[in-house]
Amino acid sequence: AIRQGASDSSRSSAFWIRDQTAPDMVGPLRPRASQYDGVELPVPETCEVTDRMSLSMRIQTAVWRVEDFLRHSSHVRNLNAIFLVARAYASNVEAVAARHLSRALAFSENPALSRRITASIMKRFPPEFTQGTWRQVVEDIPNYRKILESDPQLTRSILLKAPGLNGEKGVLLLYFEYNWIRLICGLSDSEFDWFNHHFDVILSTSWSPTDYAALALFLGKTTGAVFVQPCNHAEREKLEGLHPRIVALDSMPCDWINPAFYTKKDQERPIDFLMVANWGGFKRHIDFFEALRYLPKKLRVVLVGQKEAGRDSEYIINLAKRLGVPQALEVHQSIPIEKVSELQEEAKVSLIFSRREGCCVAAVESLFAGCALGMRSDAHVGPLDYINEKTGLRLRPGHIAEDLRRLLEISGSFDPSSWAAGEVSCHITHQKLNQSMEEAAQVGGRPWTRDLVLPQWRPYPQYVNMEDAEEMRPAYEELHERSPRVFPRSGDWTAK
């Protein structure tokens, strides 16, 4: 049976869906109030569905698996890299050649090949002397061009330190590559020179591999160290190999979770499997659904997601039907972060099936909530490094159903929340980052008289202590007054 709740309890339906638009996001200067207090989930109704997969779905699944192999094969990715290098050398247009080389570096998964591509980039397009070329590369990317034209103000970013006396720099934590472009391309040369003189920037990535063209442009526009927070520790060598001024930090963008939000992790856990992931294809719900066909029907399975790339909860429900999922699925769409945390604290096992993405905050949140974590062993996803004997299991491709059954059986033997609090909390990450920034200031001969303030991710960057937000207010206001096109008003930096 697959269930759907409705506001009218007399309504008959096949699935249980909770669809609530996410509340307005708050800036670093405003506290975030729960908008889910007192809201009760509807009582589910049930009906029978088949647990057999149709012939057309079997064919479609087979085609998808072939496409999936080609997309994720390291051999194919390396061949793509070589092909792009060849195209770069065949092109007489500098921006086209630079774009091919930056994409080749992103595709490469062979260290020797990556080093050769990097050498080609530095020889032909050294960032310090080819800013115009790299700017054309990024501005020719449709998504970036659209953002610069219609939505140029920074989002999902937060000041960690205001500038001080005697050349002491402030620090901006700048999330995601599209915000890098807003900052670099949105400011005039004089505005950027002023900003660069007064602030260091931590470039927090959204994906692995990151956009090496955007990174090259940032290198060209700056003169000091460029701090990058990668989404995967496996990419640190490639990042630092690109240029000696790049400092690949020993933390990921998902490492800003505050344990204080997870206070009920020792309660009963009625949910067997929880998957928190948007409905995009790269999240691979199909892997989960196929495995569920070989697991007991009585399991309680909960999906939490939001619309992505034209897919919504109805799409996911239909996919589950077509694959013959026998369990009762509870599907929640666009619910507040407070409710997501509640579900994580009620789940025995949290699952991520992506083969490649960024650092997947949901995986780290699950650890703090006390869930045993399961991820594909072949995933190029940052938190795979966090799966160990205290936190969960790596799921073997071809044996996922078997491994899920085992993970559920032994889920109570793990202690993921204690491990996460001691290794990857916002407090630990703050200590690491503060030390790296202080050492860089000392190497550069600049003063360091004040430490960074403490941020957290919930579900965007915000301050742990509201006193810090007030302390940063003058710095936000000055940035907005100098460059209002790029810098929002002080309370709107994390919106959207």
Side-chain angles (χ1 to χ4, degrees), residues 221-461:
K221 292 281 287 184
T222 57
T223 55
V226 174
F227 302 93
V228 181
Q229 197 172 42
C231 275
N232 198 303
H233 290 305
E235 197 177 356
R236 291 176 63 196
E237 180 181 356
K238 187 190 290 188
L239 285 165
E240 294 189 332
L242 178 63
H243 199 282
R245 286 197 286 118
I246 291 180
V247 179
L249 298 167
D250 185 23
S251 62
M252 294 189 290
C254 56
D255 295 349
W256 291 109
I257 307 302
N258 191 341
F261 289 108
Y262 301 90
T263 59
K264 301 177 182 178
K265 52 184 177 292
D266 296 325
Q267 66 182 1
E268 290 291 323
R269 294 183 177 269
I271 299 172
D272 294 303
F273 291 122
L274 172 68
M275 183 174 178
V276 179
N278 67 52
W279 308 133
F282 71 94
K283 291 294 188 175
R284 305 171 69 88
H285 290 81
I286 191 171
D287 274 357
F288 189 24
F289 293 165
E290 287 194 316
L292 286 174
R293 296 175 65 239
Y294 301 96
L295 296 174
K297 293 184 179 182
K298 65 180 182 179
L299 296 177
R300 184 179 173 191
V301 181
V302 177
L303 307 178
V304 177
Q306 60 187 12
K307 296 177 181 179
E308 177 70 20
R311 298 184 176 196
D312 58 12
S313 56
E314 293 293 341
Y315 177 93
I316 294 299
I317 289 167
N318 289 330
L319 180 63
K321 280 184 176 180
R322 296 176 66 192
L323 286 166
V325 172
Q327 291 82 11
L329 299 185
E330 301 173 20
V331 181
H332 301 261
Q333 178 163 290
S334 299
I335 60 176
I337 185 64
E338 294 84 2
K339 183 57 187 177
V340 176
S341 297
E342 289 177 17
L343 292 171
Q344 288 169 329
E345 290 181 316
E346 293 176 0
K348 298 181 181 75
V349 174
S350 177
L351 298 169
I352 303 295
F353 286 96
S354 309
R355 287 284 301 274
R356 178 178 293 272
E357 61 167 289
C359 54
C360 192
V361 175
V364 183
E365 290 172 339
S366 296
L367 296 177
F368 283 96
C371 299
L373 180 60
M375 297 175 63
R376 289 181 59 113
S377 62
D378 58 353
H380 184 84
V381 181
L384 183 67
D385 288 347
Y386 299 163
I387 294 185
N388 53 53
E389 68 280 358
K390 295 182 179 181
T391 61
L393 288 180
R394 299 187 179 199
L395 309 176
R396 300 167 297 166
H399 301 273
I400 289 179
E402 176 185 345
D403 289 347
L404 288 183
R405 188 187 298 268
R406 177 167 175 258
L407 179 57
L408 184 59
E409 289 173 352
I410 64 175
S411 59
S413 67
F414 298 107
D415 189 12
S417 59
S418 296
W419 181 91
E423 298 289 338
V424 294
S425 73
C426 62
H427 307 284
I428 300 296
T429 305
H430 174 259
Q431 293 173 7
K432 290 181 179 179
L433 183 58
N434 195 79
Q435 181 178 349
S436 295
M437 302 300 291
E438 182 177 3
E439 290 174 353
Q442 292 171 349
V443 169
R446 300 191 308 274
W448 184 273
T449 63
R450 292 171 293 111
D451 289 339
L452 306 177
V453 300
L454 177 63
Q456 64 191 8
W457 182 273
R458 181 107 176 142
Y460 299 107

Side-chain angles (χ1 to χ4, degrees), residues 33-291:
S34 170
Q35 298 191 15
Y36 208 87
D37 295 343
V39 177
E40 297 291 335
L41 290 175
V43 177
E45 300 181 24
T46 64
C47 67
E48 294 298 323
V49 298
T50 179
D51 62 353
R52 300 185 61 185
M53 194 189 305
S54 67
L55 177 60
S56 64
M57 191 61 194
R58 291 179 187 276
I59 294 173
Q60 183 177 335
T61 302
V63 172
W64 174 79
R65 291 202 177 281
V66 173
E67 294 174 345
D68 187 66
F69 168 78
L70 295 175
R71 181 180 299 110
H72 294 289
S73 165
S74 60
H75 299 296
V76 174
R77 291 181 65 84
N78 287 330
L79 287 174
N80 277 338
I82 293 170
F83 175 67
L84 286 166
V85 170
R87 292 186 66 184
Y89 279 99
S91 177
N92 294 322
V93 180
E94 287 196 343
V96 173
R99 182 59 184 166
H100 286 328
L101 286 175
S102 65
R103 292 186 63 219
L105 183 58
F107 270 108
S108 173
E109 296 193 355
N110 179 282
L113 177 59
S114 296
R115 288 192 292 269
R116 295 188 66 176
I117 296 171
T118 296
S120 296
I121 291 174
M122 290 299 108
K123 180 179 180 180
R124 190 171 177 184
F125 303 108
E128 293 85 352
F129 305 107
T130 55
Q131 290 182 38
T133 299
W134 289 113
R135 185 174 185 124
Q136 184 178 345
V137 170
V138 299
E139 290 183 343
D140 284 345
I141 298 173
N143 286 345
Y144 290 158
R145 185 168 61 247
K146 180 180 178 180
I147 286 173
L148 289 172
E149 292 173 353
S150 62
D151 192 16
Q153 285 193 327
L154 295 183
T155 61
R156 306 187 184 191
S157 304
I158 189 168
L159 289 178
L160 302 185
K161 183 177 179 178
L165 300 175
N166 303 315
E168 185 167 4
K169 283 191 168 186
V171 176
L172 170 63
L173 178 58
L174 190 62
Y175 266 90
F176 307 154
E177 292 81 352
Y178 55 80
N179 276 320
W180 308 358
I181 301 305
R182 283 174 167 141
L183 181 68
I184 305 170
C185 298
L187 297 178
S188 67
D189 288 342
S190 61
E191 288 174 329
F192 191 90
D193 288 343
W194 181 90
F195 175 84
N196 188 42
H197 182 72
H198 289 83
F199 287 90
D200 282 323
V201 179
I202 300 164
L203 301 177
S204 192
T205 61
S206 65
W207 197 266
S208 181
T210 188
D211 187 337
Y212 285 90
L215 189 54
L217 179 56
F218 204 91
L219 284 163
K221 292 281 287 184
T222 57
T223 55
V226 174
F227 302 93
V228 181
Q229 197 172 42
C231 275
N232 198 303
H233 290 305
E235 197 177 356
R236 291 176 63 196
E237 180 181 356
K238 187 190 290 188
L239 285 165
E240 294 189 332
L242 178 63
H243 199 282
R245 286 197 286 118
I246 291 180
V247 179
L249 298 167
D250 185 23
S251 62
M252 294 189 290
C254 56
D255 295 349
W256 291 109
I257 307 302
N258 191 341
F261 289 108
Y262 301 90
T263 59
K264 301 177 182 178
K265 52 184 177 292
D266 296 325
Q267 66 182 1
E268 290 291 323
R269 294 183 177 269
I271 299 172
D272 294 303
F273 291 122
L274 172 68
M275 183 174 178
V276 179
N278 67 52
W279 308 133
F282 71 94
K283 291 294 188 175
R284 305 171 69 88
H285 290 81
I286 191 171
D287 274 357
F288 189 24
F289 293 165
E290 287 194 316

